[in-house]
Amino acid sequence: MNDRKDAGRLIMRGAQATAAGFAGRLAARLLFLFVAGRLFGAAAFGAYVLAVAAVELAVSVGSLGMKKVIFQLLDRSGEGRSPSHILLDAAVLVTLASLVIAGGMMAASALFAHSLAGGAAIALFALAPMVAGQSLLDLFLAATRWRHAIRFEVVARSLVEPYAQLAGAAAAWALGFREIGLLAGYWCGTLVALVYAVAGARRIFGAFHIASYRPQRMVLAAALRLAGANTATDLLNTLYTRVDLWIVGLLLGEGAAGVYGMARQIAVPIRQVRQSFDGLLIPLVARTLSTRGSRGSGEALASATRLILVIQLPIIVALFAAGRPLLGLFGKGFEAAYWPLIALATAEAIQAAFSIGDLVFVYLRPQLGLWLTLASIAIGIAAALVLVRPLGISGAALSVLAAYSVRAALRSFVLRARFHLDVPHSHHVGPFVA
């Protein structure tokens, strides 16, 4: 009972700590979208979001799943290796993997530029090095959460990164670098946030003792093996949330991708409600599973899901009421994304709230989560290929809603059947009725 109360208090404390950060991040996102839509236009924004989607997919591999695995590695720090050197081991692996991937992306964008839209090829080439920046940012922010210091992630993701990105894009426009303004903003946001994250990790761990650090092949190999299955899961999860955008870009062009990407960007805060809890949920679920097992974890997961649904509800209502005029603020033609926005917002609410169950797969059966993700991706791709041509970007949004809904149902079934994790449906009745 005490464990259950402690978990609830920890989740509520996390909700309170991240509320202000979430508001700041939302304000920065809307300002950035206003700048991107008004100053750069749908085509340039479309090229940008297609390239960013590719970078984010690469980060899911380059980060080697370390934002989850790092907790397990650091918990072993009593076995003869200091926490700061374990963090440096992870940073070495992530840097090497990310740079190899980034080099491959740059080479591919140069070799196959004729097959890609010109703007997208240039954007991909320019943003590829930031695979390393974003992967290291994920790692160092995750490391600061090892001792439940979530303020660094809240400040980095909610204030430092988005506002540095906004400032970089606006400055590039003002200085006349209008073709690369959005790309410059992405560089600025990533690098400034990375510097802040490293400083935060140093405050948590103390000196890194770089002069005495020596990478050990056996240690690196063990960390790499531990990261393998979760890396594949992260890759598929990222592909799962980006493939619809690429299909729109491929079938309808950069302009349509820009309009659809705007709807996706406005719907993202619903997903970020859940991400705001990750700093507490990931270590909390790991601890709950280890102490109470999967059978005893259902109510704790259901409580977190209910809280997230309650927070998401007013955002969805606001988008339904004011989504069309909001889209109009970002420039001509973006109003066409209203109904796709509503479908995407609903899909994001389903995925964000119920994906907490995926953490059970991460720690108990990563391969099982992998198969569920693969099935959902197949459903989403098939639905998109059928719906995009006749329905345009609305078809893409409906394909996402279908894929996320099926995955939520499959996840619930598998958690009950395989892990006997019974999530009380009474926890979700209130938010669903509302």
Side-chain angles (χ1 to χ4, degrees), residues 33-69:
L33 293 178
F34 180 81
V35 168
R38 285 286 181 178
L39 299 184
F40 296 94
F45 184 66
Y48 167 79
V49 295
L50 289 170
V52 169
V55 168
E56 290 170 345
L57 181 65
V59 168
S60 67
V61 180
S63 62
L64 299 176
M66 284 296 172
K67 62 183 177 182
K68 300 185 184 76
V69 173

Side-chain angles (χ1 to χ4, degrees), residues 67-368:
K67 62 183 177 182
K68 300 185 184 76
V69 173
I70 190 63
F71 298 108
Q72 294 171 280
L73 296 175
L74 289 170
D75 285 340
R76 301 174 182 176
S77 58
E79 299 176 2
R81 198 153 177 82
S82 69
S84 60
H85 283 182
I86 290 174
L87 178 56
L88 291 178
D89 288 336
V92 167
L93 288 173
V94 166
T95 301
L96 291 175
S98 298
L99 290 178
V100 169
I101 294 169
M105 291 173 64
M106 295 175 75
S109 63
L111 289 173
F112 301 104
H114 62 281
S115 302
L116 301 171
I122 294 171
L124 181 59
F125 185 90
L127 294 186
M130 287 300 96
V131 173
Q134 285 289 331
S135 297
L136 289 170
L137 179 58
D138 280 347
L139 170 64
F140 280 97
L141 289 178
T144 63
R145 302 197 309 263
W146 182 47
R147 292 175 179 166
H148 305 296
I150 65 171
R151 65 186 182 277
F152 296 107
E153 179 153 20
V154 171
V155 172
R157 292 296 192 186
S158 301
L159 298 174
V160 176
E161 184 182 18
Y163 283 101
Q165 182 178 5
L166 174 62
W173 172 269
L175 293 172
F177 300 103
R178 298 181 177 181
E179 293 184 356
I180 62 169
L182 295 174
L183 312 180
Y186 192 84
W187 271 73
C188 288
T190 300
L191 295 179
V192 173
L194 178 58
V195 170
Y196 176 82
V198 172
R202 194 179 187 283
R203 290 188 63 180
I204 294 295
F205 290 87
F208 289 139
H209 303 292
I210 296 176
S212 63
Y213 171 71
R214 299 292 183 275
Q216 298 178 8
R217 183 180 301 175
M218 296 295 293
V219 174
L220 295 179
L224 199 58
R225 285 194 298 271
L226 187 61
N230 285 318
T231 301
T233 301
D234 285 346
L235 171 63
L236 289 177
N237 277 326
T238 307
L239 179 62
Y240 177 60
T241 58
R242 304 295 185 278
V243 68
D244 57 311
L245 179 61
W246 290 324
I247 291 175
V248 169
L250 180 65
L251 298 181
L252 304 179
E254 286 181 0
V259 175
Y260 183 73
M262 186 66 74
R264 261 218 166 277
Q265 290 294 312
I266 295 175
V268 160
I270 296 175
R271 184 193 314 164
Q272 291 172 343
V273 169
R274 153 63 201 282
Q275 292 172 342
S276 297
F277 287 86
D278 277 353
L280 293 172
L281 279 176
I282 292 176
L284 176 63
V285 170
R287 188 178 303 113
T288 303
L289 288 172
S290 65
T291 58
R292 296 164 58 187
S294 59
R295 288 177 180 266
S297 302
E299 189 166 345
L301 293 180
S303 296
T305 298
R306 179 175 58 185
L307 178 60
I308 292 170
L309 283 169
V310 168
I311 296 172
Q312 289 171 335
L313 177 62
I315 302 175
I316 295 176
V317 172
L319 290 178
F320 186 81
R324 193 181 299 277
L326 176 64
L327 286 164
L329 292 176
F330 300 128
K332 184 179 179 180
F334 288 110
E335 299 95 331
Y338 173 69
W339 286 112
L341 171 61
I342 301 303
L344 288 170
T346 306
E348 291 288 0
I350 292 171
Q351 171 63 9
F354 293 98
S355 63
I356 294 174
D358 288 338
L359 295 175
V360 178
F361 301 133
V362 167
Y363 290 108
L364 299 182
R365 287 288 300 277
Q367 294 83 358
L368 191 54

